Amino acid sequence: MNAQVQDVAKPAVTGSGTSLRSLADWVESVAALTRPAAIHWCDGSDAENAALIAKMEADGTLIRLNEETNPGSWLHRSHPDDVARVEHLTFVCTSEQDDAGPNNHWMSPADGHAQMDALFEGCMEGRTMYVIPYCMGPIESKIARCGVEITDSPYVVANMRIMTRMGAAALSRIEREGGFVRGLHSTGELDPNRRFIMHFPEELTIKSYGSGYGGNALLGKKCHALRIASHQARQEGWLAEHMLILGIENPQGETHYIAAAFPSACGKTNLAMLIPPEGYREKGWKVWTIGDDICWMRPGPDGRLYAINPEAGFFGVAPGTSAKSNPNALATIRKNTIFTNVGLTADNQPWWEGLDEGQPVIDWRGNDYDCSRGPAAHPNARFTVSAKQCPSYSEHAEDPTGVPISAIVFGGRRASLVPLVFEARDWTHGVLVGAAMGSETTAAATGQVGVMRRDPMAMKPFCGYNFADYFAHWLSFDRPGMKLPPIFHVNWFRKGADGRFLWPGFGENLRVLEWILDRAEGRAGAVETPIGHLPRADDLNLDGLDLDGAALQTLLTFDRDGWRAEFDSLGAYLDEFGARMPQALKDEHGRVVSALGR
Ligand code: OXD
Ligand code: MN
C-alpha cells in the first residue's frame, strides 16, 4: 500500500486521546469497523461545545431560538419517525435467555454483536466519530460510575454534555479506575427498519444504531444508568431505579428525602420541582430537587439507603409544562436549553401544548401550524437543560455520599380503583406493591398511548435482567442492620365518572407527601385495609383546598371487589415468571388475597 492511500484511510484525530490501553484499543477497533473520516476526543470544554453548536447551526441540525427570550437556546427537529424510545427494538443480550427474563426482548450475545456489527460496518464514512468520556453521578462520588460513548452525532455530544459530567474530569477518573461501560452509537440512516438498541450486561457494553432520540441515543441515561446499572447494582448490592429524588424542608428547617418511581411521562419532573401551595409556603415549607428521573441507592454505614442522581441535567417532556404545572421547569429552561420537536411562535420562541402564553405558527416538523393536522409540538417533545439552572436544585445533589432516603413512593397512571395514597405494611409488602404497579402507556415510547400495562417499579422498559431476580434483589435488602424506609403508593391520575381528574395534583401533591413523611416518623393516622394503610380525610392537611366531598371519598376509598380482581390479575402476572419468582413475594401475594377474602 503506498503512503498516500494510507493517509486518506487514516482518520484525523483531535483531542487528548488516552493513556488507558483498553480504551485506546477499543476506540481503534470501533474506528476500524465504522471507518470515520475523523475522530474527536471530547473534553467537555466551552470552546468545544461552541464549535459543535456552530457546526450544527450551519448544517441546520440546530435552529437558533429568540436570543432575547431564550438566550443560548436551540431547536432540534428529529426525523419524524424517530421521536421516542423503541421498546420493541430494545434487547438485553445475556448468555442465558432466562437471565434477561420475560420482561425483556432477548438475543444471544453472539447474534446481538453480529447483527449490530453488520449495521456499524462503515457507517461513519465521511462522518466524525466523537469519543465521550462521562461520569454518572458527582465526579468524586464512590457511588458514581463512568462510561465512554462513541457516537457520530454532534447532537448527542451536546446533550451528553448537559446530561452527564462529561469530558476531561471523567476521562481522568476512567484512566485511574481502568473500568468503564462501553457504549457505541450511530444514527445510521435513521431508518426504523435498521434500528436496534442492544445491551450486553455481562460485558458492560451497549450498541445502539439508527436513532438519534434521547432514550435510544444518550447512552448514559436509560441504557447505562438503568439497564446496565441495574445489572451491576444486583451484583454489588445496590439499586438503580427509575425514580426522582426530592427533599422536603419543613418549617423547622429539617429536610427529608423521598425517592419516587413513576412510569415515563407521568409527572416525575413536575413532582421533583414541586412548588408548595401558598399555605405551606407561608409556613416555611420548601421543596428541593435532587433528580427527576434516575436514582442510584445504596446502604450507608448506618443501614439507611443513600441516593444520588447519576444525571447532571433534565431531559424533560415539554408538552404540559406550564406556569401551573411546573413554574420551576419554566424558569430552568429560560436559557441554554436544547429543545427537540417543539413548535415555534412567529418570533422564534419555543411553543408546546399546555404553555399558557404565545401562539404557534410552525409545528414540530417545520410546517406551517394547522391545528387540524395535529399538535404544534410532538407529544414527546423534550427539553435538555442543566440541573444547575433549576431554582429548586439542591446543593446536596452534588454530595458524593448521596442523601438519606426517608420514604420510597411508587405511582402509576390509574384512572380507576387505585386510591390517592396508601402505605405498605412492611418492606416485603412494599416490594409487592412495587411489583404490582400498572400504568397507562404514554408517548415516551412508540406504540399505542393509554393502554394499561404492568410496569413494576416503573422499570418495565429499563430493568436489565429478569424481573423475578430483580424482586428477589429488592427483598434481599430486608436484613439485620438495615434501616429501610417505608414504602408508599400514590395515584395522582384517578378520574371521576365525567372523565375529569379528581385530585388537583401538581403543588397540591405536597399534602400527600406531608402525610407520607409524617407516617415515616410515626406521627400521622391511617386505617388498615388488606392493600395497606390509607389516610382518612382528617389525616391529610386539606386546608385551603377546594375539593368536593364526593371526590375525596372516591380518592380515599378501598374497593374490595375491585382489588380482588386486581390481585387475581397480579397473581397471573407473577406466575408468568415461573419458579424463578421469589416464594416470599408469592406468599405476600397470598396473604393479601386471603385478607381480601372471597
Ligand atoms: C425518559 C423516559 O425520557 O422515561 O425519562 O422515557
Ligand atoms: Mn424516565
Side-chain angles (χ1 to χ4, degrees), residues 181-419:
V181 169
R182 292 161 193 228
L184 171 55
H185 167 256
S186 170
T187 50
E189 311 79 27
L190 295 174
D191 174 356
N193 297 312
R194 285 167 55 81
R195 179 175 295 161
F196 284 106
I197 326 296
M198 295 215 190
H199 304 76
F200 304 85
E202 292 150 355
E203 302 162 41
L204 304 184
T205 293
I206 304 153
K207 293 186 175 178
S208 166
Y209 188 89
S211 169
Y213 171 74
N216 304 326
L218 311 181
L219 300 186
K221 191 172 179 63
K222 303 300 185 181
C223 301
H224 177 164
L226 288 174
R227 298 194 191 95
I228 297 289
S230 61
H231 163 91
Q232 288 181 294
R234 177 178 174 226
Q235 290 183 324
E236 297 166 8
W238 50 283
L239 291 163
E241 299 301 323
H242 192 204
M243 291 178 172
L244 66 91
I245 311 164
L246 58 72
I248 299 182
E249 184 177 331
N250 64 21
Q252 293 75 51
E254 302 152 351
T255 303
H256 294 278
Y257 296 92
I258 293 179
F262 292 83
S264 308
C266 285
K268 282 206 298 299
T269 307
N270 294 346
L271 187 62
M273 297 180 190
L274 178 154
I275 294 193
E278 200 181 328
Y280 278 80
R281 279 202 309 274
E282 280 163 4
K283 288 195 191 124
W285 290 81
K286 290 194 188 109
V287 170
W288 297 105
T289 309
I290 302 277
D292 79 329
D293 195 41
I294 301 179
C295 163
W296 286 357
M297 277 184 286
R298 63 166 69 218
D302 58 359
R304 296 186 72 186
L305 291 178
Y306 284 78
I308 62 161
N309 169 16
E311 300 191 284
F314 306 120
F315 180 64
V317 180
T321 305
S322 69
K324 174 166 183 273
S325 66
N326 197 340
N328 272 333
L330 282 189
T332 308
I333 61 183
R334 198 141 288 151
K335 59 179 183 183
N336 306 331
T337 302
I338 300 174
F339 294 90
T340 301
N341 292 339
V342 296
L344 281 179
T345 63
D347 64 347
N348 246 16
Q349 294 189 48
W351 196 91
W352 50 84
E353 277 65 24
L355 194 65
D356 358 51
E357 54 196 57
Q359 291 293 328
V361 296
I362 306 281
D363 73 12
W364 65 277
R365 296 168 195 261
N367 298 324
D368 288 347
Y369 172 63
D370 170 352
C371 61
S372 68
R373 288 208 302 253
H378 185 275
N380 194 35
R382 298 280 178 147
F383 52 78
T384 319
V385 66
S386 167
K388 290 201 170 118
Q389 288 188 191
C390 178
S392 57
Y393 190 56
S394 165
E395 61 187 29
H396 296 294
E398 304 293 331
D399 274 1
T401 49
V403 294
I405 295 299
S406 296
I408 288 177
V409 176
F410 294 121
R413 184 182 281 272
R414 297 292 296 262
S416 60
L417 182 67
V418 181

Side-chain angles (χ1 to χ4, degrees), residues 103 230 234 238-243 261 410 431 434-435 456-460 462-477 580 582 585:
N103 45 302
S230 61
R234 177 178 174 226
W238 50 283
L239 291 163
E241 299 301 323
H242 192 204
M243 291 178 172
F410 294 121
V431 174
M457 295 165 175
M459 285 288 278
K460 165 74 187 77
F462 308 122
C463 183
Y465 61 101
N466 191 319
F467 260 152
D469 300 339
Y470 172 72
F471 301 144
H473 180 49
W474 264 81
L475 292 171
S476 75
F477 284 83
R580 219 150 157 149
L585 208 63

Side-chain angles (χ1 to χ4, degrees), residues 59-287:
D59 69 16
T61 304
L62 292 182
I63 298 164
R64 188 184 288 272
L65 293 171
N66 186 319
E67 261 303 317
E68 262 165 44
T69 57
N70 296 79
S73 297
W74 303 90
L75 165 64
H76 171 71
R77 292 196 185 108
S78 78
H79 188 286
D81 289 331
D82 185 31
V83 291
R85 284 184 291 97
V86 282
E87 293 180 9
H88 60 298
L89 301 175
T90 299
F91 285 72
V92 169
C93 305
T94 43
S95 317
E96 298 296 325
Q97 180 164 5
D98 240 15
D99 289 344
N103 45 302
N104 281 303
H105 299 295
W106 176 83
M107 208 178 278
S108 74
D111 289 351
H113 283 304
Q115 188 148 333
M116 294 309 283
D117 291 354
L119 292 169
F120 278 113
E121 159 110 60
C123 72
M124 296 191 192
E125 270 171 16
R127 301 182 185 180
T128 298
M129 180 175 113
Y130 300 94
V131 182
I132 313 172
Y134 64 87
C135 180
M136 301 309 293
I139 206 100
E140 297 305 334
S141 171
K142 286 204 185 103
I143 311 178
R145 291 303 162 94
C146 291
V148 177
E149 174 165 357
I150 296 179
T151 180
D152 55 9
S153 162
Y155 166 81
V156 165
V157 180
N159 277 270
M160 283 289 283
R161 182 171 184 267
I162 297 173
M163 295 304 296
T164 71
R165 280 92 173 164
M166 177 270 247
L171 183 59
S172 303
R173 179 166 167 167
I174 290 167
E175 287 173 342
R176 217 168 46 240
E177 290 180 338
F180 59 95
V181 169
R182 292 161 193 228
L184 171 55
H185 167 256
S186 170
T187 50
E189 311 79 27
L190 295 174
D191 174 356
N193 297 312
R194 285 167 55 81
R195 179 175 295 161
F196 284 106
I197 326 296
M198 295 215 190
H199 304 76
F200 304 85
E202 292 150 355
E203 302 162 41
L204 304 184
T205 293
I206 304 153
K207 293 186 175 178
S208 166
Y209 188 89
S211 169
Y213 171 74
N216 304 326
L218 311 181
L219 300 186
K221 191 172 179 63
K222 303 300 185 181
C223 301
H224 177 164
L226 288 174
R227 298 194 191 95
I228 297 289
S230 61
H231 163 91
Q232 288 181 294
R234 177 178 174 226
Q235 290 183 324
E236 297 166 8
W238 50 283
L239 291 163
E241 299 301 323
H242 192 204
M243 291 178 172
L244 66 91
I245 311 164
L246 58 72
I248 299 182
E249 184 177 331
N250 64 21
Q252 293 75 51
E254 302 152 351
T255 303
H256 294 278
Y257 296 92
I258 293 179
F262 292 83
S264 308
C266 285
K268 282 206 298 299
T269 307
N270 294 346
L271 187 62
M273 297 180 190
L274 178 154
I275 294 193
E278 200 181 328
Y280 278 80
R281 279 202 309 274
E282 280 163 4
K283 288 195 191 124
W285 290 81
K286 290 194 188 109
V287 170

Side-chain angles (χ1 to χ4, degrees), residues 2 9 28 32 36 38 83 113 180 188 248 271 298 346 379 387 426 440 468 495 498 525 591:
N2 69 37
E28 210 172 287
V83 291
H113 283 304
F180 59 95
I248 299 182
L271 187 62
R298 63 166 69 218
D426 55 23
E440 293 158 24
K495 288 184 177 165
D498 58 1
R591 252 191 291 281

